[in-house]
Amino acid sequence: MEYSKEFKTALSAFSNTEKDRLIFRLLKKDQLLSKKLYFELIDPETTDDKREAMEEAIQEKVMLASKYIGNPKYFLTIIRKISGEITEHVKVTTDKFGDVSLNLLLTDAVLQHNEDLSRQRFDNIYKLYLYLINKTVRSLLLIKKLDEDYWMEFDEQLESLKEKIQQNRQLKKLFTNNEIDFQWLKSENIPDHFDLIIKEIKSQGFLR
């Protein structure tokens, strides 16, 4: 929504007391905005601090969730919830590095349980695998937009992730069937115009 000059002028005419009341009323209705302002104004923790806390939380929560792998639908629900917490972290802190590193960590943490995942029927585990593939692709898209100085750190995560994917026969085949090249799991190998490549892949009905 665009705000007209007249609307902005009217808001500026409010007294400080009226503005304070309006701000607190809005913050009560928007918890995310409230958390973001708190972080930007007075939170003693830095973005790095919060990212490190998220890393620990992801590992712990995926480990606890692993006992539900036998119920893939519920397990995926838990993983989506953890992903939502990452999204909130990124929105609050504007942590572009963490948007990649935390999502790669989440995917890697799930695949640490490859042995249990491999025991599931493919039909039951398919949605989880497709979710992990799309999460990986999104991370690659984001890496391509970030400074190359970060690539070495991402490559360590991508190499670990690649090893786990290739240890999971069903997931490895699904990556290939969705036309995702394993060579792309290295920052310098992500193609130019990667977004257009993925758009074309999706237009052919893959990654869905």
Side-chain angles (χ1 to χ4, degrees), residues 120-179:
Q120 309 307 311
R121 285 170 49 89
F122 180 70
D123 289 350
N124 294 336
I125 208 77
Y126 172 79
K127 286 187 177 180
L128 172 65
Y129 284 167
L130 193 61
Y131 177 78
L132 296 178
I133 292 172
N134 275 290
K135 187 164 284 292
T136 302
V137 167
R138 179 180 177 276
S139 295
L140 296 178
L141 286 165
L142 292 175
I143 288 172
K144 194 65 178 177
K145 297 177 181 179
L146 293 176
D147 193 285
E148 294 183 15
D149 290 343
Y150 296 126
W151 285 8
M152 184 176 295
E153 293 179 70
F154 292 142
D155 281 344
E156 292 179 7
Q157 289 186 285
L158 289 171
E159 182 60 30
S160 175
L161 184 58
K162 181 179 178 180
E163 289 177 3
K164 291 181 177 64
I165 293 168
Q166 294 184 328
Q167 290 167 5
N168 185 317
R169 182 179 57 82
Q170 292 178 332
L171 180 58
K172 178 182 178 182
K173 184 176 181 179
L174 195 58
F175 261 87
T176 302
N177 289 348
N178 280 273
E179 299 191 356

Side-chain angles (χ1 to χ4, degrees), residues 16-30:
N16 289 335
T17 300
E18 290 173 321
K19 289 178 182 177
D20 287 345
R21 288 175 181 169
L22 179 59
I23 289 172
F24 285 117
R25 187 182 303 170
L26 292 173
L27 290 178
K28 284 182 179 179
K29 295 182 178 181
D30 192 334

Side-chain angles (χ1 to χ4, degrees), residues 58-63 65-66 69 72 75-76 78-80 82-83 86 102-118 125 128-129 131-133 135-136 161 164-165 168 171:
I58 290 168
Q59 294 281 16
E60 180 179 348
K61 290 181 178 183
V62 173
M63 182 180 69
S66 65
I69 286 178
F75 180 68
L76 177 56
I78 299 174
I79 299 306
R80 287 184 184 276
I82 299 171
S83 179
I86 295 173
L102 293 173
N103 278 293
L104 288 177
L105 175 63
L106 174 59
T107 305
D108 190 273
V110 170
L111 294 181
Q112 286 179 14
H113 302 281
N114 259 333
E115 186 174 340
D116 293 328
L117 291 170
S118 296
I125 208 77
L128 172 65
Y129 284 167
Y131 177 78
L132 296 178
I133 292 172
K135 187 164 284 292
T136 302
L161 184 58
K164 291 181 177 64
I165 293 168
N168 185 317
L171 180 58

Side-chain angles (χ1 to χ4, degrees), residues 130 134 177-179 200-208:
L130 193 61
N134 275 290
N177 289 348
N178 280 273
E179 299 191 356
E200 175 61 24
I201 289 174
K202 288 184 175 181
S203 74
Q204 296 175 30
F206 298 111
L207 298 174
R208 295 177 182 176

Side-chain angles (χ1 to χ4, degrees), residues 26-39 84 87-93:
L26 292 173
L27 290 178
K28 284 182 179 179
K29 295 182 178 181
D30 192 334
Q31 290 298 309
L32 184 61
L33 177 59
S34 181
K35 290 178 181 180
K36 185 174 179 63
L37 284 177
Y38 179 86
F39 173 73
T87 299
E88 180 177 294
H89 161 82
V90 173
K91 288 181 177 179
V92 168
T93 63

